[in-house]
Amino acid sequence: MQTSTRDRIVVAAARLLQRQGYVGTGIKQIAQEAQATLGSVYHFFPGGKEAVAVAALRHGSEKFGTLLRESLDEADDPAEAVTACTRRLAGDLRASGWTDGCPVTAAALETLGTDSEIQRTCAEALNEWEGLIRDKLLRGGLSPEDARDLASTVLSALEGAEVTAQVNRSEEPLHAVGRQLARLVRSYEVRVETAWSPPLRPR
Amino acid sequence: MQTSTRDRIVVAAARLLQRQGYVGTGIKQIAQEAQATLGSVYHFFPGGKEAVAVAALRHGSEKFGTLLRESLDEADDPAEAVTACTRRLAGDLRASGWTDGCPVTAAALETLGTDSEIQRTCAEALNEWEGLIRDKLLRGGLSPEDARDLASTVLSALEGAEVTAQVNRSEEPLHAVGRQLARLVRSYEVRVETAWSPPLRPR
DNA sequence: ACACCTCTAGAACGAACGCTCTACCCAATG
DNA sequence: CATTGGGTAGAGCGTTCGTTCTAGAGGTGT
């Protein structure tokens, strides 16, 4: 038993929340999947199911964040970087049998009405991811205003395409937004190497 | 009591599924919200909870479809039509207190692993909506290939922006994709009226 | 040796779940 | 008037839910 019980609980809960949502996932199921007992779960998480979920969502958020960061670093050009994201997401999604999509969306949608910690955790995750994309765009030379708007759009499109791909059990939606987002991003980039008279920028 | 009991059940179930997902919504809650009794629910839907959900999702799908159609008809220009969509979605979302987003996403995500009728119903809804957008783009003069790719992207972006807007309780994500999608769509349109030498099309 | 603390183990509780069942109301039909 | 059948009403079934509780295992410090 190399991994701690707590970690096993968090990892198992993250996977189950991603696949079945918050209400669809039982504490006992989490314990079983983590090869832990109910006592252990409540020992590490006295806050009960919600506390487990928050920890699991944070874990999933970080994992997805590094996946995003890695994909974005695959290319210097922001447009290519975005398609690298969609390619990676599509591959992982297919490999999981279309079940492991965004780690927070399901839980987020189920707890919309409430003002639970879960809600806040999901919102934080989305904003953090958007920040990653925005930074990439800024490094690519976009203006702060353009980068903000575009990053928000890219994240929304990724989220939506992930859902669409899962429901249709197809990589196509992700590849489509990959192509279109690349085109959109390119429309912002200052292409100094092109032939058609780039606008002169005052030094 | 002007509306039939069956209709009240479907409408109530649709609203609850939209807000709380499939597992989060109980049959008894549906009955109560619809001012019907459990007996009535099982009388009209011998298939039980899943049958109610399928009918409700179909209802929600149609309602969202007409909303989409109306928005798209607000402008002849496809780019403007898309921003009309995001504007309408943003307004409705705020008006509902950020709770009434896409009527099928929550249920779709919860039932991903299964091969239930619910899954299929959600997939049908998404594809139908994508068809509406594609037709609009085609009417706008885009090539079939471009229209297909773009329609898929637009729908994904709308779905994702809706979720992001709900989680952040803000219209901004929707407006951002509205702006960006308009720019993207415009990049495909043949602008005969612009000054910078439009490509000559053989008559 | 003992007490102490972290962690494991699972029985048990009340509440809520989806669903089945019987009983009843009431308008239409013979 | 009696009968039928669509629709209403809700008690109750077995199961599962999240949570609480007590009991014990295993290691550490004194």
Side-chain angles (χ1 to χ4, degrees):
Chain A
M1 191 180 311
Q2 25 200 11
T3 65
S4 75
T5 304
R6 209 199 109 104
D7 286 350
R8 270 181 291 127
I9 292 171
V10 170
V11 171
R15 241 197 38 203
L16 291 172
L17 284 180
Q18 183 178 36
R19 301 189 175 187
Q20 317 174 346
Y22 180 67
V23 276
T25 302
I27 286 256
K28 292 174 184 176
Q29 188 188 8
I30 293 175
Q32 187 177 350
E33 202 90 356
Q35 302 198 79
T37 67
L38 216 48
S40 303
V41 176
Y42 277 95
H43 169 74
F44 290 109
F45 301 96
K49 186 181 181 181
E50 180 163 338
V52 177
V54 168
L57 290 173
R58 271 198 242 276
H59 172 79
S61 162
E62 269 187 43
K63 249 184 62 176
F64 194 82
T66 63
L67 182 150
L68 217 54
R69 208 187 317 262
E70 286 174 10
S71 304
L72 290 174
D73 282 346
E74 281 184 25
D76 283 336
D77 177 37
E80 287 176 32
V82 168
T83 64
C85 280
T86 59
R87 202 164 36 233
R88 172 77 172 270
L89 288 177
D92 288 3
L93 198 55
R94 170 184 288 274
S96 77
W98 315 106
T99 57
D100 293 356
C102 170
V104 310
T105 318
L109 283 179
E110 282 173 335
T111 59
L112 268 181
T114 79
D115 63 341
S116 58
E117 185 82 24
I118 298 180
Q119 256 290 302
R120 258 163 277 139
T121 306
C122 295
E124 281 173 25
L126 290 183
N127 291 327
E128 188 191 315
W129 299 337
E130 185 176 325
L132 293 178
I133 301 173
R134 188 173 55 238
D135 289 348
K136 180 69 182 182
L137 295 177
L138 286 174
R139 267 178 278 136
L142 270 70
S143 79
E145 304 81 33
D146 289 344
R148 175 188 299 271
D149 238 41
L150 244 186
S152 171
T153 300
V154 168
L155 181 66
S156 289
L158 289 182
E159 292 281 338
E162 189 105 330
V163 173
T164 311
Q166 290 184 271
V167 172
N168 287 334
R169 306 174 72 86
S170 158
E171 296 188 5
E172 248 315 286
L174 276 163
H175 292 317
V177 310
R179 285 187 291 267
Q180 301 301 326
L181 287 181
R183 180 186 178 108
L184 180 61
V185 171
R186 255 188 273 274
S187 80
Y188 279 97
E189 296 185 64
V190 185
R191 273 163 298 178
V192 207
E193 67 282 3
T194 52
W196 56 273
S197 70
L200 291 182
R201 284 212 299 167
R203 38 174 269 99
Chain B
M1 190 181 310
Q2 24 201 12
T3 64
S4 75
T5 303
R6 208 198 109 104
D7 286 350
R8 270 181 290 127
I9 292 172
V10 170
V11 170
R15 243 197 36 204
L16 292 172
L17 284 180
Q18 183 177 37
R19 303 190 174 186
Q20 318 174 345
Y22 180 67
V23 275
T25 302
I27 286 257
K28 292 176 183 174
Q29 190 187 7
I30 293 175
Q32 187 177 349
E33 203 90 357
Q35 302 198 80
T37 66
L38 212 51
S40 300
V41 176
Y42 278 94
H43 170 74
F44 289 110
F45 300 95
K49 186 181 180 181
E50 181 163 338
V52 178
V54 168
L57 290 173
R58 270 198 243 276
H59 172 78
S61 161
E62 268 188 43
K63 249 184 64 174
F64 194 82
T66 63
L67 183 150
L68 216 55
R69 208 188 315 262
E70 285 173 9
S71 305
L72 289 175
D73 281 346
E74 281 184 25
D76 283 338
D77 177 37
E80 288 177 33
V82 168
T83 65
C85 280
T86 59
R87 201 164 35 233
R88 172 77 174 270
L89 288 178
D92 288 4
L93 199 54
R94 170 183 288 273
S96 77
W98 316 106
T99 57
D100 293 356
C102 170
V104 311
T105 319
L109 284 178
E110 283 174 334
T111 59
L112 268 181
T114 79
D115 64 338
S116 57
E117 185 82 22
I118 297 179
Q119 256 289 303
R120 256 163 280 138
T121 305
C122 295
E124 281 174 26
L126 289 184
N127 290 327
E128 186 191 317
W129 299 337
E130 185 177 326
L132 293 179
I133 300 174
R134 189 173 57 238
D135 288 348
K136 180 69 183 183
L137 295 177
L138 285 174
R139 267 178 278 135
L142 270 70
S143 78
E145 304 82 34
D146 290 343
R148 174 187 300 269
D149 238 41
L150 245 186
S152 173
T153 301
V154 168
L155 181 65
S156 290
L158 290 182
E159 292 280 338
E162 187 105 330
V163 173
T164 312
Q166 290 184 272
V167 172
N168 288 333
R169 305 174 73 85
S170 157
E171 295 187 5
E172 248 316 286
L174 276 162
H175 290 141
V177 311
R179 286 188 290 268
Q180 301 300 326
L181 287 181
R183 182 187 177 105
L184 180 61
V185 171
R186 256 187 272 273
S187 81
Y188 279 98
E189 296 184 63
V190 185
R191 274 163 298 177
V192 208
E193 65 283 3
T194 51
W196 57 273
S197 71
L200 291 182
R201 285 211 298 165
R203 44 170 262 100

